[in-house]
Amino acid sequence: MQPIGVFDSGVGGLTVVRELIRQLPDEDIVYFGDTARLPYGTKSKETVIRFSIENILFLLKHKVKLICIACNTSSSVALPTIKSYFKVPIVGVIAPGVREAVSATRNKCIGVIGTKGTIQSRAYEIQIRQLDPKIKVVSCACPLFVPLVEEGWLKGEVVLKVAKNYLKPIKDARADTLILGCTHYPLLKPLIKTLMTDRVTLIDSAKQVAVEVKKILTHEGMLKRKKNKAKLKFYVTDNPNWFSVLAERFLGKPLKDVRRVNV
Amino acid sequence: MQPIGVFDSGVGGLTVVRELIRQLPDEDIVYFGDTARLPYGTKSKETVIRFSIENILFLLKHKVKLICIACNTSSSVALPTIKSYFKVPIVGVIAPGVREAVSATRNKCIGVIGTKGTIQSRAYEIQIRQLDPKIKVVSCACPLFVPLVEEGWLKGEVVLKVAKNYLKPIKDARADTLILGCTHYPLLKPLIKTLMTDRVTLIDSAKQVAVEVKKILTHEGMLKRKKNKAKLKFYVTDNPNWFSVLAERFLGKPLKDVRRVNV
């Protein structure tokens, strides 16, 4: 039976893998992290599209039955263009996050934070408006959050100051729902919660992505039938050891058997 | 007559180009910035070596007579391994910076700041000790400096706090000379000067690199003879427009005719 393919620019997509394992424990998963070329969030649309296509072709070689783009930048910037290129079903992280946020907001004001690429694409804004044109959307790029998280600076004066700066327009607009539009940001949840107060619902799309994957596999009759132990394979384009160490922060458990590949 | 080839992971290497233009105004230059795969400073040795070889092969297609690696990470991590692979003379930024620092220090204590890759390689430390084993070297990786500079956060509370944190061990050791071991850091000079006081000499190797290039070309009889206008060509792997905008910060003048290529 074929595995589910997941790719991200790096390690953050493992938050989606964690939810897939929780909701679909029998499924085999192939994860691809493009760690040699990360980050995607500061790169141009053309480059993110090129990288995304290469990553999908890599996963197709592993005979995946569905591809999950766990990277917000790639989902925002590349997915609308490349979705029609491939036969395999491709699930991004934008639509599931949007659905959750739209059903969560009471005052019809949603904040969105993400990389430069994600925010410039206006993907969240466009999809929110398609569901409910009355909703006000306030979007802010937070380019320093990824390096801060990767350095492990999750609390303290520096990240607090940076976050205050970035989140001000969203606080000022009194958004009651905030989409964490980057797989790194859930690690900053405690800090963001303190700044935004409990009044604000934080949305990270990993759970909803797994719900969507399950729905598609069920609908298409593609759920794994054999109840043997699920196989998890991890491929990265840079050092596997560095990935394994960071992975623990995202997946909640240590990883073994990570392989380096070129695409 | 053949051009000088220069490569960097991105835009920072233009500080070296600026010095080459100043000291060798007749020479043609081909610049290659690997903006689609930057940064190099957080990537593994194997990956930096692979990227560096690909960049050199790209420059060789443009028939360069000498290659200047303007990237500190690549000079530290890749150059020692790959120098012997190629016939073309290759100049890195480490040795010239080291020579300047060793002749500048009075109290025999030199600080070095750079990316994780540069600092972990211990390239500066090793080369300083080769020139003078009595010199004490204090090295600190400053991984947040590159994203801060690229965001244009060159002053203010956040970058001050980050810099204080990074520079503390070097201040505590009372180094009288500080090597800015990354092409992004010269943009933080005013801030670093404030923190380190005027007592400390800041070394950025661009000038000395151009001196070394001139010396080699003179010695090998490879200086350009025709006194026609120098041709400057710029190639990048990501969006040329974004590069042109950032380039102005480093080169001091706007760039036209930047082309995108894949390697």
Side-chain angles (χ1 to χ4, degrees), chain A residues 60-95:
Chain A
L60 287 177
K61 274 195 256 170
H62 287 78
K63 307 198 178 304
V64 296
K65 58 185 171 188
L66 178 145
I67 288 174
C68 182
I69 304 186
C71 171
N72 278 268
T73 304
S74 177
S75 298
S76 308
V77 168
L79 186 56
T81 304
I82 64 180
K83 198 163 186 170
S84 62
Y85 296 179
F86 300 97
K87 264 193 199 165
V88 67
I90 304 177
V91 176
V93 290
I94 310 302

PDB file of all heavy atoms in Angstrom, chain A residues 60-95:
ATOM      1  N   LEU A  60       6.892  11.584  -5.567  1.00  0.00           N
ATOM      2  CA  LEU A  60       6.228  10.685  -6.524  1.00  0.00           C
ATOM      3  C   LEU A  60       7.097   9.450  -6.815  1.00  0.00           C
ATOM      4  O   LEU A  60       6.582   8.361  -7.036  1.00  0.00           O
ATOM      5  CB  LEU A  60       5.902  11.429  -7.827  1.00  0.00           C
ATOM      6  CG  LEU A  60       4.734  12.428  -7.723  1.00  0.00           C
ATOM      7  CD1 LEU A  60       4.540  13.161  -9.050  1.00  0.00           C
ATOM      8  CD2 LEU A  60       3.430  11.743  -7.306  1.00  0.00           C
ATOM      9  N   LYS A  61       8.416   9.643  -6.781  1.00  0.00           N
ATOM     10  CA  LYS A  61       9.312   8.489  -6.959  1.00  0.00           C
ATOM     11  C   LYS A  61       9.115   7.468  -5.836  1.00  0.00           C
ATOM     12  O   LYS A  61       9.389   6.291  -6.004  1.00  0.00           O
ATOM     13  CB  LYS A  61      10.775   8.958  -6.954  1.00  0.00           C
ATOM     14  CG  LYS A  61      11.263   9.410  -8.326  1.00  0.00           C
ATOM     15  CD  LYS A  61      12.774   9.507  -8.356  1.00  0.00           C
ATOM     16  CE  LYS A  61      13.180  10.973  -8.291  1.00  0.00           C
ATOM     17  NZ  LYS A  61      14.613  11.189  -8.091  1.00  0.00           N
ATOM     18  N   HIS A  62       8.662   7.960  -4.675  1.00  0.00           N
ATOM     19  CA  HIS A  62       8.377   7.054  -3.554  1.00  0.00           C
ATOM     20  C   HIS A  62       6.931   6.572  -3.573  1.00  0.00           C
ATOM     21  O   HIS A  62       6.432   6.064  -2.580  1.00  0.00           O
ATOM     22  CB  HIS A  62       8.716   7.731  -2.226  1.00  0.00           C
ATOM     23  CG  HIS A  62      10.190   7.827  -2.006  1.00  0.00           C
ATOM     24  ND1 HIS A  62      10.968   8.778  -2.620  1.00  0.00           N
ATOM     25  CD2 HIS A  62      11.046   7.049  -1.291  1.00  0.00           C
ATOM     26  CE1 HIS A  62      12.231   8.597  -2.262  1.00  0.00           C
ATOM     27  NE2 HIS A  62      12.305   7.563  -1.470  1.00  0.00           N
ATOM     28  N   LYS A  63       6.255   6.759  -4.714  1.00  0.00           N
ATOM     29  CA  LYS A  63       4.919   6.205  -4.969  1.00  0.00           C
ATOM     30  C   LYS A  63       3.895   6.607  -3.922  1.00  0.00           C
ATOM     31  O   LYS A  63       3.104   5.787  -3.449  1.00  0.00           O
ATOM     32  CB  LYS A  63       4.993   4.674  -5.081  1.00  0.00           C
ATOM     33  CG  LYS A  63       6.043   4.210  -6.110  1.00  0.00           C
ATOM     34  CD  LYS A  63       5.825   2.793  -6.544  1.00  0.00           C
ATOM     35  CE  LYS A  63       6.849   2.379  -7.607  1.00  0.00           C
ATOM     36  NZ  LYS A  63       6.862   3.258  -8.790  1.00  0.00           N
ATOM     37  N   VAL A  64       3.893   7.885  -3.582  1.00  0.00           N
ATOM     38  CA  VAL A  64       2.920   8.357  -2.587  1.00  0.00           C
ATOM     39  C   VAL A  64       1.529   8.442  -3.209  1.00  0.00           C
ATOM     40  O   VAL A  64       1.378   8.662  -4.410  1.00  0.00           O
ATOM     41  CB  VAL A  64       3.330   9.745  -2.025  1.00  0.00           C
ATOM     42  CG1 VAL A  64       4.643   9.630  -1.275  1.00  0.00           C
ATOM     43  CG2 VAL A  64       3.437  10.785  -3.144  1.00  0.00           C
ATOM     44  N   LYS A  65       0.494   8.249  -2.376  1.00  0.00           N
ATOM     45  CA  LYS A  65      -0.894   8.267  -2.889  1.00  0.00           C
ATOM     46  C   LYS A  65      -1.534   9.633  -2.708  1.00  0.00           C
ATOM     47  O   LYS A  65      -2.569   9.935  -3.318  1.00  0.00           O
ATOM     48  CB  LYS A  65      -1.723   7.206  -2.175  1.00  0.00           C
ATOM     49  CG  LYS A  65      -1.787   7.360  -0.648  1.00  0.00           C
ATOM     50  CD  LYS A  65      -2.530   6.192  -0.032  1.00  0.00           C
ATOM     51  CE  LYS A  65      -2.414   6.226   1.491  1.00  0.00           C
ATOM     52  NZ  LYS A  65      -2.952   5.014   2.116  1.00  0.00           N
ATOM     53  N   LEU A  66      -0.924  10.453  -1.878  1.00  0.00           N
ATOM     54  CA  LEU A  66      -1.429  11.808  -1.610  1.00  0.00           C
ATOM     55  C   LEU A  66      -0.246  12.626  -1.127  1.00  0.00           C
ATOM     56  O   LEU A  66       0.647  12.103  -0.451  1.00  0.00           O
ATOM     57  CB  LEU A  66      -2.510  11.749  -0.533  1.00  0.00           C
ATOM     58  CG  LEU A  66      -3.133  13.068  -0.069  1.00  0.00           C
ATOM     59  CD1 LEU A  66      -4.618  12.861   0.266  1.00  0.00           C
ATOM     60  CD2 LEU A  66      -2.423  13.688   1.123  1.00  0.00           C
ATOM     61  N   ILE A  67      -0.222  13.896  -1.498  1.00  0.00           N
ATOM     62  CA  ILE A  67       0.871  14.752  -1.024  1.00  0.00           C
ATOM     63  C   ILE A  67       0.318  15.868  -0.173  1.00  0.00           C
ATOM     64  O   ILE A  67      -0.670  16.524  -0.516  1.00  0.00           O
ATOM     65  CB  ILE A  67       1.684  15.326  -2.211  1.00  0.00           C
ATOM     66  CG1 ILE A  67       2.531  14.222  -2.841  1.00  0.00           C
ATOM     67  CG2 ILE A  67       2.583  16.485  -1.751  1.00  0.00           C
ATOM     68  CD1 ILE A  67       3.262  14.619  -4.098  1.00  0.00           C
ATOM     69  N   CYS A  68       0.964  16.047   0.966  1.00  0.00           N
ATOM     70  CA  CYS A  68       0.572  17.106   1.868  1.00  0.00           C
ATOM     71  C   CYS A  68       1.701  18.137   1.890  1.00  0.00           C
ATOM     72  O   CYS A  68       2.830  17.816   2.244  1.00  0.00           O
ATOM     73  CB  CYS A  68       0.372  16.477   3.237  1.00  0.00           C
ATOM     74  SG  CYS A  68      -0.159  17.660   4.408  1.00  0.00           S
ATOM     75  N   ILE A  69       1.397  19.356   1.442  1.00  0.00           N
ATOM     76  CA  ILE A  69       2.404  20.421   1.513  1.00  0.00           C
ATOM     77  C   ILE A  69       2.282  21.046   2.894  1.00  0.00           C
ATOM     78  O   ILE A  69       1.337  21.775   3.186  1.00  0.00           O
ATOM     79  CB  ILE A  69       2.186  21.485   0.424  1.00  0.00           C
ATOM     80  CG1 ILE A  69       2.182  20.845  -0.973  1.00  0.00           C
ATOM     81  CG2 ILE A  69       3.258  22.568   0.523  1.00  0.00           C
ATOM     82  CD1 ILE A  69       2.120  21.834  -2.119  1.00  0.00           C
ATOM     83  N   ALA A  70       3.236  20.728   3.762  1.00  0.00           N
ATOM     84  CA  ALA A  70       3.145  21.182   5.148  1.00  0.00           C
ATOM     85  C   ALA A  70       3.723  22.581   5.324  1.00  0.00           C
ATOM     86  O   ALA A  70       3.699  23.131   6.412  1.00  0.00           O
ATOM     87  CB  ALA A  70       3.863  20.196   6.062  1.00  0.00           C
ATOM     88  N   CYS A  71       4.235  23.143   4.250  1.00  0.00           N
ATOM     89  CA  CYS A  71       4.891  24.457   4.297  1.00  0.00           C
ATOM     90  C   CYS A  71       3.885  25.535   3.894  1.00  0.00           C
ATOM     91  O   CYS A  71       3.290  25.467   2.814  1.00  0.00           O
ATOM     92  CB  CYS A  71       6.064  24.438   3.326  1.00  0.00           C
ATOM     93  SG  CYS A  71       6.852  26.024   3.044  1.00  0.00           S
ATOM     94  N   ASN A  72       3.690  26.517   4.760  1.00  0.00           N
ATOM     95  CA  ASN A  72       2.726  27.584   4.466  1.00  0.00           C
ATOM     96  C   ASN A  72       3.139  28.388   3.242  1.00  0.00           C
ATOM     97  O   ASN A  72       2.293  28.765   2.433  1.00  0.00           O
ATOM     98  CB  ASN A  72       2.611  28.544   5.653  1.00  0.00           C
ATOM     99  CG  ASN A  72       1.680  28.035   6.718  1.00  0.00           C
ATOM    100  OD1 ASN A  72       0.512  28.332   6.726  1.00  0.00           O
ATOM    101  ND2 ASN A  72       2.215  27.227   7.619  1.00  0.00           N
ATOM    102  N   THR A  73       4.430  28.686   3.118  1.00  0.00           N
ATOM    103  CA  THR A  73       4.891  29.488   1.989  1.00  0.00           C
ATOM    104  C   THR A  73       4.595  28.763   0.676  1.00  0.00           C
ATOM    105  O   THR A  73       4.019  29.329  -0.246  1.00  0.00           O
ATOM    106  CB  THR A  73       6.399  29.772   2.098  1.00  0.00           C
ATOM    107  OG1 THR A  73       6.661  30.401   3.358  1.00  0.00           O
ATOM    108  CG2 THR A  73       6.871  30.688   0.984  1.00  0.00           C
ATOM    109  N   SER A  74       4.976  27.483   0.616  1.00  0.00           N
ATOM    110  CA  SER A  74       4.747  26.711  -0.595  1.00  0.00           C
ATOM    111  C   SER A  74       3.244  26.550  -0.870  1.00  0.00           C
ATOM    112  O   SER A  74       2.803  26.655  -2.021  1.00  0.00           O
ATOM    113  CB  SER A  74       5.426  25.353  -0.449  1.00  0.00           C
ATOM    114  OG  SER A  74       5.174  24.568  -1.564  1.00  0.00           O
ATOM    115  N   SER A  75       2.454  26.333   0.187  1.00  0.00           N
ATOM    116  CA  SER A  75       0.995  26.207   0.021  1.00  0.00           C
ATOM    117  C   SER A  75       0.384  27.501  -0.512  1.00  0.00           C
ATOM    118  O   SER A  75      -0.543  27.472  -1.315  1.00  0.00           O
ATOM    119  CB  SER A  75       0.326  25.878   1.360  1.00  0.00           C
ATOM    120  OG  SER A  75       0.770  24.646   1.862  1.00  0.00           O
ATOM    121  N   SER A  76       0.901  28.642  -0.064  1.00  0.00           N
ATOM    122  CA  SER A  76       0.342  29.942  -0.472  1.00  0.00           C
ATOM    123  C   SER A  76       0.783  30.323  -1.874  1.00  0.00           C
ATOM    124  O   SER A  76       0.001  30.802  -2.683  1.00  0.00           O
ATOM    125  CB  SER A  76       0.850  31.065   0.440  1.00  0.00           C
ATOM    126  OG  SER A  76       0.647  30.778   1.773  1.00  0.00           O
ATOM    127  N   VAL A  77       2.078  30.142  -2.114  1.00  0.00           N
ATOM    128  CA  VAL A  77       2.716  30.736  -3.283  1.00  0.00           C
ATOM    129  C   VAL A  77       2.697  29.782  -4.477  1.00  0.00           C
ATOM    130  O   VAL A  77       2.496  30.201  -5.605  1.00  0.00           O
ATOM    131  CB  VAL A  77       4.176  31.114  -2.908  1.00  0.00           C
ATOM    132  CG1 VAL A  77       4.980  31.470  -4.125  1.00  0.00           C
ATOM    133  CG2 VAL A  77       4.191  32.224  -1.879  1.00  0.00           C
ATOM    134  N   ALA A  78       2.916  28.485  -4.218  1.00  0.00           N
ATOM    135  CA  ALA A  78       3.092  27.530  -5.313  1.00  0.00           C
ATOM    136  C   ALA A  78       1.848  26.701  -5.593  1.00  0.00           C
ATOM    137  O   ALA A  78       1.514  26.447  -6.756  1.00  0.00           O
ATOM    138  CB  ALA A  78       4.272  26.605  -4.995  1.00  0.00           C
ATOM    139  N   LEU A  79       1.136  26.278  -4.557  1.00  0.00           N
ATOM    140  CA  LEU A  79       0.032  25.327  -4.740  1.00  0.00           C
ATOM    141  C   LEU A  79      -1.010  25.785  -5.764  1.00  0.00           C
ATOM    142  O   LEU A  79      -1.428  24.986  -6.623  1.00  0.00           O
ATOM    143  CB  LEU A  79      -0.618  24.986  -3.386  1.00  0.00           C
ATOM    144  CG  LEU A  79      -1.700  23.898  -3.412  1.00  0.00           C
ATOM    145  CD1 LEU A  79      -1.183  22.608  -4.011  1.00  0.00           C
ATOM    146  CD2 LEU A  79      -2.239  23.635  -2.009  1.00  0.00           C
ATOM    147  N   PRO A  80      -1.466  27.055  -5.734  1.00  0.00           N
ATOM    148  CA  PRO A  80      -2.480  27.467  -6.710  1.00  0.00           C
ATOM    149  C   PRO A  80      -2.025  27.240  -8.157  1.00  0.00           C
ATOM    150  O   PRO A  80      -2.823  26.873  -9.011  1.00  0.00           O
ATOM    151  CB  PRO A  80      -2.662  28.963  -6.424  1.00  0.00           C
ATOM    152  CG  PRO A  80      -2.228  29.146  -5.006  1.00  0.00           C
ATOM    153  CD  PRO A  80      -1.129  28.148  -4.799  1.00  0.00           C
ATOM    154  N   THR A  81      -0.725  27.421  -8.424  1.00  0.00           N
ATOM    155  CA  THR A  81      -0.197  27.236  -9.775  1.00  0.00           C
ATOM    156  C   THR A  81      -0.021  25.759 -10.123  1.00  0.00           C
ATOM    157  O   THR A  81      -0.371  25.325 -11.220  1.00  0.00           O
ATOM    158  CB  THR A  81       1.176  27.945  -9.915  1.00  0.00           C
ATOM    159  OG1 THR A  81       1.001  29.311  -9.555  1.00  0.00           O
ATOM    160  CG2 THR A  81       1.715  27.853 -11.336  1.00  0.00           C
ATOM    161  N   ILE A  82       0.520  24.989  -9.185  1.00  0.00           N
ATOM    162  CA  ILE A  82       0.972  23.635  -9.555  1.00  0.00           C
ATOM    163  C   ILE A  82      -0.060  22.541  -9.292  1.00  0.00           C
ATOM    164  O   ILE A  82       0.113  21.422  -9.740  1.00  0.00           O
ATOM    165  CB  ILE A  82       2.302  23.265  -8.851  1.00  0.00           C
ATOM    166  CG1 ILE A  82       2.132  23.189  -7.338  1.00  0.00           C
ATOM    167  CG2 ILE A  82       3.399  24.252  -9.214  1.00  0.00           C
ATOM    168  CD1 ILE A  82       3.416  22.839  -6.604  1.00  0.00           C
ATOM    169  N   LYS A  83      -1.140  22.888  -8.604  1.00  0.00           N
ATOM    170  CA  LYS A  83      -2.138  21.878  -8.239  1.00  0.00           C
ATOM    171  C   LYS A  83      -2.634  21.114  -9.473  1.00  0.00           C
ATOM    172  O   LYS A  83      -2.827  19.905  -9.437  1.00  0.00           O
ATOM    173  CB  LYS A  83      -3.311  22.546  -7.525  1.00  0.00           C
ATOM    174  CG  LYS A  83      -4.139  21.564  -6.746  1.00  0.00           C
ATOM    175  CD  LYS A  83      -5.044  22.214  -5.731  1.00  0.00           C
ATOM    176  CE  LYS A  83      -5.702  21.093  -4.921  1.00  0.00           C
ATOM    177  NZ  LYS A  83      -6.425  21.583  -3.762  1.00  0.00           N
ATOM    178  N   SER A  84      -2.830  21.855 -10.572  1.00  0.00           N
ATOM    179  CA  SER A  84      -3.412  21.240 -11.768  1.00  0.00           C
ATOM    180  C   SER A  84      -2.389  20.429 -12.565  1.00  0.00           C
ATOM    181  O   SER A  84      -2.733  19.735 -13.507  1.00  0.00           O
ATOM    182  CB  SER A  84      -3.994  22.329 -12.661  1.00  0.00           C
ATOM    183  OG  SER A  84      -2.953  23.192 -13.076  1.00  0.00           O
ATOM    184  N   TYR A  85      -1.098  20.519 -12.193  1.00  0.00           N
ATOM    185  CA  TYR A  85      -0.074  19.820 -12.976  1.00  0.00           C
ATOM    186  C   TYR A  85      -0.080  18.310 -12.718  1.00  0.00           C
ATOM    187  O   TYR A  85       0.335  17.549 -13.574  1.00  0.00           O
ATOM    188  CB  TYR A  85       1.335  20.327 -12.625  1.00  0.00           C
ATOM    189  CG  TYR A  85       1.644  21.765 -12.951  1.00  0.00           C
ATOM    190  CD1 TYR A  85       2.900  22.292 -12.637  1.00  0.00           C
ATOM    191  CD2 TYR A  85       0.722  22.615 -13.560  1.00  0.00           C
ATOM    192  CE1 TYR A  85       3.218  23.611 -12.913  1.00  0.00           C
ATOM    193  CE2 TYR A  85       1.029  23.934 -13.832  1.00  0.00           C
ATOM    194  CZ  TYR A  85       2.280  24.423 -13.509  1.00  0.00           C
ATOM    195  OH  TYR A  85       2.595  25.722 -13.772  1.00  0.00           O
ATOM    196  N   PHE A  86      -0.482  17.910 -11.494  1.00  0.00           N
ATOM    197  CA  PHE A  86      -0.255  16.532 -11.066  1.00  0.00           C
ATOM    198  C   PHE A  86      -1.565  15.773 -10.850  1.00  0.00           C
ATOM    199  O   PHE A  86      -2.575  16.359 -10.461  1.00  0.00           O
ATOM    200  CB  PHE A  86       0.567  16.521  -9.775  1.00  0.00           C
ATOM    201  CG  PHE A  86       1.918  17.167  -9.923  1.00  0.00           C
ATOM    202  CD1 PHE A  86       2.117  18.493  -9.554  1.00  0.00           C
ATOM    203  CD2 PHE A  86       2.987  16.455 -10.451  1.00  0.00           C
ATOM    204  CE1 PHE A  86       3.365  19.099  -9.701  1.00  0.00           C
ATOM    205  CE2 PHE A  86       4.237  17.050 -10.602  1.00  0.00           C
ATOM    206  CZ  PHE A  86       4.431  18.374 -10.225  1.00  0.00           C
ATOM    207  N   LYS A  87      -1.501  14.450 -11.106  1.00  0.00           N
ATOM    208  CA  LYS A  87      -2.668  13.597 -10.883  1.00  0.00           C
ATOM    209  C   LYS A  87      -2.915  13.366  -9.398  1.00  0.00           C
ATOM    210  O   LYS A  87      -4.055  13.257  -8.954  1.00  0.00           O
ATOM    211  CB  LYS A  87      -2.416  12.230 -11.533  1.00  0.00           C
ATOM    212  CG  LYS A  87      -2.996  12.085 -12.919  1.00  0.00           C
ATOM    213  CD  LYS A  87      -2.957  10.609 -13.276  1.00  0.00           C
ATOM    214  CE  LYS A  87      -3.065  10.421 -14.763  1.00  0.00           C
ATOM    215  NZ  LYS A  87      -2.674   9.057 -15.151  1.00  0.00           N
ATOM    216  N   VAL A  88      -1.831  13.223  -8.639  1.00  0.00           N
ATOM    217  CA  VAL A  88      -1.927  12.886  -7.221  1.00  0.00           C
ATOM    218  C   VAL A  88      -2.669  14.008  -6.470  1.00  0.00           C
ATOM    219  O   VAL A  88      -2.473  15.184  -6.761  1.00  0.00           O
ATOM    220  CB  VAL A  88      -0.496  12.672  -6.648  1.00  0.00           C
ATOM    221  CG1 VAL A  88       0.306  13.962  -6.617  1.00  0.00           C
ATOM    222  CG2 VAL A  88      -0.521  12.045  -5.261  1.00  0.00           C
ATOM    223  N   PRO A  89      -3.564  13.667  -5.529  1.00  0.00           N
ATOM    224  CA  PRO A  89      -4.209  14.733  -4.746  1.00  0.00           C
ATOM    225  C   PRO A  89      -3.167  15.462  -3.891  1.00  0.00           C
ATOM    226  O   PRO A  89      -2.295  14.826  -3.297  1.00  0.00           O
ATOM    227  CB  PRO A  89      -5.198  13.982  -3.840  1.00  0.00           C
ATOM    228  CG  PRO A  89      -5.208  12.563  -4.277  1.00  0.00           C
ATOM    229  CD  PRO A  89      -4.010  12.315  -5.133  1.00  0.00           C
ATOM    230  N   ILE A  90      -3.249  16.791  -3.875  1.00  0.00           N
ATOM    231  CA  ILE A  90      -2.311  17.596  -3.087  1.00  0.00           C
ATOM    232  C   ILE A  90      -3.098  18.453  -2.097  1.00  0.00           C
ATOM    233  O   ILE A  90      -4.012  19.181  -2.486  1.00  0.00           O
ATOM    234  CB  ILE A  90      -1.446  18.508  -3.983  1.00  0.00           C
ATOM    235  CG1 ILE A  90      -0.710  17.686  -5.044  1.00  0.00           C
ATOM    236  CG2 ILE A  90      -0.442  19.295  -3.139  1.00  0.00           C
ATOM    237  CD1 ILE A  90       0.119  18.513  -6.028  1.00  0.00           C
ATOM    238  N   VAL A  91      -2.751  18.332  -0.829  1.00  0.00           N
ATOM    239  CA  VAL A  91      -3.420  19.097   0.225  1.00  0.00           C
ATOM    240  C   VAL A  91      -2.441  20.134   0.771  1.00  0.00           C
ATOM    241  O   VAL A  91      -1.321  19.786   1.139  1.00  0.00           O
ATOM    242  CB  VAL A  91      -3.862  18.154   1.379  1.00  0.00           C
ATOM    243  CG1 VAL A  91      -4.467  18.957   2.528  1.00  0.00           C
ATOM    244  CG2 VAL A  91      -4.832  17.113   0.873  1.00  0.00           C
ATOM    245  N   GLY A  92      -2.858  21.393   0.798  1.00  0.00           N
ATOM    246  CA  GLY A  92      -2.022  22.430   1.410  1.00  0.00           C
ATOM    247  C   GLY A  92      -2.491  22.738   2.813  1.00  0.00           C
ATOM    248  O   GLY A  92      -3.451  22.134   3.304  1.00  0.00           O
ATOM    249  N   VAL A  93      -1.822  23.662   3.479  1.00  0.00           N
ATOM    250  CA  VAL A  93      -2.196  23.984   4.860  1.00  0.00           C
ATOM    251  C   VAL A  93      -3.082  25.231   4.965  1.00  0.00           C
ATOM    252  O   VAL A  93      -3.567  25.551   6.045  1.00  0.00           O
ATOM    253  CB  VAL A  93      -0.950  24.174   5.768  1.00  0.00           C
ATOM    254  CG1 VAL A  93      -0.252  22.839   5.992  1.00  0.00           C
ATOM    255  CG2 VAL A  93       0.018  25.184   5.196  1.00  0.00           C
ATOM    256  N   ILE A  94      -3.286  25.935   3.847  1.00  0.00           N
ATOM    257  CA  ILE A  94      -4.041  27.195   3.921  1.00  0.00           C
ATOM    258  C   ILE A  94      -5.537  26.946   4.147  1.00  0.00           C
ATOM    259  O   ILE A  94      -6.117  27.430   5.130  1.00  0.00           O
ATOM    260  CB  ILE A  94      -3.837  28.049   2.652  1.00  0.00           C
ATOM    261  CG1 ILE A  94      -2.349  28.189   2.307  1.00  0.00           C
ATOM    262  CG2 ILE A  94      -4.485  29.425   2.818  1.00  0.00           C
ATOM    263  CD1 ILE A  94      -1.491  28.799   3.365  1.00  0.00           C
ATOM    264  N   ALA A  95      -6.162  26.184   3.233  1.00  0.00           N
ATOM    265  CA  ALA A  95      -7.617  25.986   3.294  1.00  0.00           C
ATOM    266  C   ALA A  95      -8.072  25.433   4.650  1.00  0.00           C
ATOM    267  O   ALA A  95      -9.027  25.965   5.234  1.00  0.00           O
ATOM    268  CB  ALA A  95      -8.074  25.093   2.139  1.00  0.00           C
TER     269      ALA A  95
END
